[in-house]
Amino acid sequence: MAASTPDFRPADDSAAPAAKESSSLNFFTTKLDFFVHAPSLDDLCGIYNPVVALLETGVHNGLWWLDVTAASDEDIETLARSFGLHPLTVEDITQRETREKIELFESYYFLSLRPPSSRKTDDGVCIVSHNLYAVVFPEGVLSFNFGTSLHADHVRNRIKEHRSHLALTSDWICYAIIDAIVDGFAPFIARVETGVDLMEDHIAVTRPDEIGLALQQIYKWRKEVIQIRQLLHDKTDVIRCFARHCDALAATSTQVALYLSDIRDHVLTMMANLEQAEQMLSRSQSKYLSQLHFDSGRMRNEIATALSRLTVVASTIVPMQFITGLFGMNVMVPGKSPGGLAWWYGIIGVILVLIVLFLLVAKRMRLFDR
């Protein structure tokens, strides 16, 4: 079978990210001091021959972990036949089941977890991702990852750094995967807390015309908080089931149960931080709405004052227009006779008296004081 040349590569792959991105399978065994990377199952069998016996018999001399990235349906079917996976497990992996859970089967337990991943949209940052699936046998782990995630890389680096003093088991690898996924929420929560703190500081200096934009930003932050809280809340049930499973096994797995308490503490701390952020957002929203209500009331008062003044001006102009319009018609104009200008002064006097009268009424009604 013609294929690109596979290679052995140590656990620290930072020196060659291009080769790492082209790999789709990563194999670890306690019999080797490094991880084996290959683009396909055939290449992996060609690089490390004991994998052939593992796929044929399901038995390997030592703890093993096979991590498959972006597996095809054919690869999933092949691995399912090799390791005797239940049809329900195969269906969940093939159909990309989104529900997070742990299911116990006769010879293994099945883990489904959703790691955090961000995607920018027109409304802001939306937290979406593909689930990570792990089939945990007593002697090894088979994991599937269909998204761009570095959680498996973090676990491999952790194994390399602490391998000398770790009692590696398949349950410990499962714990490390869960721990890496939970820790992956920290950057998202830190970003939310920073944004909420900045918004809280800007309340006092926000201009009235910027309140609408601030409320839109609050809506985006609250939406992201709800998404993160939902993902973390779903993981608490998975961690609880995993802890019960470890408590029911031997002492080595019981040691893993001690690590799970640390994960639960992280989850509770993150949930508390999100709760605090939600309270701050709610308080900020109330302040902005109060400020918006105050500004709207003040604007209504200013409009009412302007309209009342315009009413006074209009009330003084209407009589003048009536008088001038009346005598502007084709009628005998008073004072046109040689009797003098008494009529003219009389008309002007009436107009001035009406203006003064309306101004006194407006002042008495305090229309100019509003």
Side-chain angles (χ1 to χ4, degrees):
M1 177 178 179
S4 58
T5 304
D7 61 325
F8 288 99
R9 196 169 302 278
D12 186 3
D13 302 315
S14 57
K20 176 178 170 182
E21 291 178 358
S22 62
S23 300
S24 58
L25 286 90
N26 301 275
F27 184 75
F28 163 76
T29 175
T30 52
K31 295 300 180 181
L32 297 176
D33 294 331
F34 43 80
F35 291 89
V36 181
H37 298 251
S40 66
L41 280 172
D42 293 337
D43 292 325
L44 181 62
C45 294
I47 297 173
Y48 189 60
N49 191 59
V51 176
V52 178
L54 175 62
L55 296 177
E56 292 178 351
T57 64
V59 178
H60 182 70
N61 187 17
L63 178 68
W64 56 272
W65 175 26
L66 178 59
D67 179 53
V68 186
T69 302
S72 63
D73 292 343
E74 292 78 9
D75 290 337
I76 296 175
E77 292 294 337
T78 300
L79 293 172
R81 288 192 302 269
S82 300
F83 293 101
L85 302 185
H86 195 277
L88 291 178
T89 301
V90 179
E91 180 182 357
D92 287 343
I93 299 174
T94 305
Q95 300 298 325
R96 314 291 193 268
E97 173 63 42
T98 59
R99 189 169 70 90
E100 299 182 273
K101 59 183 178 179
I102 280 187
E103 291 182 337
L104 300 179
F105 293 89
E106 183 177 355
S107 59
Y108 64 88
Y109 61 89
F110 175 65
L111 170 69
S112 175
L113 272 186
R114 174 169 292 188
S117 176
S118 62
R119 181 184 66 190
K120 288 189 176 181
T121 61
D122 295 337
D123 296 333
V125 176
C126 179
I127 299 180
V128 294
S129 62
H130 297 281
N131 279 37
L132 186 148
Y133 309 97
V135 182
V136 184
F137 299 93
E139 65 279 355
V141 178
L142 176 63
S143 61
F144 298 89
N145 183 21
F146 296 95
T148 56
S149 174
L150 299 177
H151 304 293
D153 294 335
H154 294 161
V155 176
R156 285 191 284 268
N157 291 333
R158 186 174 179 180
I159 291 175
K160 180 188 175 184
E161 294 174 0
H162 306 287
R163 181 176 178 179
S164 59
H165 56 276
L166 280 178
L168 287 177
T169 62
S170 59
D171 290 327
W172 187 94
I173 295 177
C174 181
Y175 144 75
I177 292 174
I178 298 175
D179 188 42
I181 290 175
V182 171
D183 290 342
F185 285 93
F188 294 93
I189 297 177
R191 188 171 65 86
V192 170
E193 290 178 333
T194 301
V196 172
D197 290 338
L198 291 175
M199 184 169 296
E200 187 80 9
D201 296 337
H202 291 166
I203 290 179
V205 296
T206 301
R207 296 194 298 268
D209 56 344
E210 296 177 347
I211 293 180
L213 296 176
L215 290 175
Q216 291 181 4
Q217 192 66 26
I218 289 177
Y219 167 76
K220 294 177 182 179
W221 285 124
R222 296 189 77 167
K223 182 179 179 181
E224 188 166 341
V225 167
I226 291 174
Q227 291 176 337
I228 298 175
R229 287 181 63 182
Q230 182 62 41
L231 289 174
L232 284 175
H233 182 269
D234 294 341
K235 288 170 178 55
T236 55
D237 294 336
V238 176
I239 295 172
R240 190 179 301 112
C241 293
F242 187 35
R244 287 200 300 265
H245 165 75
C246 292
D247 290 338
L249 296 179
T252 55
S253 295
T254 305
Q255 294 298 322
V256 174
L258 297 177
Y259 290 104
L260 292 178
S261 61
D262 181 63
I263 299 181
R264 283 194 293 265
D265 291 340
H266 288 174
V267 172
L268 292 176
T269 301
M270 292 178 180
M271 295 286 284
N273 292 338
L274 290 174
E275 181 68 24
Q276 182 179 3
E278 175 67 21
Q279 292 178 359
M280 294 177 65
L281 288 173
S282 179
R283 185 169 60 250
S284 299
Q285 184 176 5
S286 300
K287 291 181 180 178
Y288 279 124
L289 290 176
S290 300
Q291 182 67 26
L292 185 62
H293 179 73
F294 174 78
D295 293 336
S296 299
R298 184 179 59 183
M299 186 175 297
R300 286 195 300 268
N301 293 334
E302 292 176 354
I303 294 175
T305 301
L307 290 177
S308 63
R309 292 176 179 176
L310 288 176
T311 302
V312 173
V313 174
S315 300
T316 57
I317 292 177
V318 167
M320 292 188 293
Q321 289 180 335
F322 173 75
I323 295 174
T324 55
L326 179 64
F327 291 105
M329 295 186 295
N330 191 14
V331 297
M332 180 65 69
V333 179
K336 189 175 182 181
S337 60
L341 299 176
W343 275 102
W344 186 84
Y345 287 115
I347 294 172
I348 297 298
V350 170
I351 293 175
L352 293 177
V353 169
L354 290 176
I355 291 175
V356 172
L357 178 63
F358 280 113
L359 290 177
L360 290 176
V361 172
K363 184 174 181 61
R364 186 175 183 83
M365 296 178 64
R366 297 182 180 179
L367 297 179
F368 292 106
D369 297 336
R370 295 181 181 178

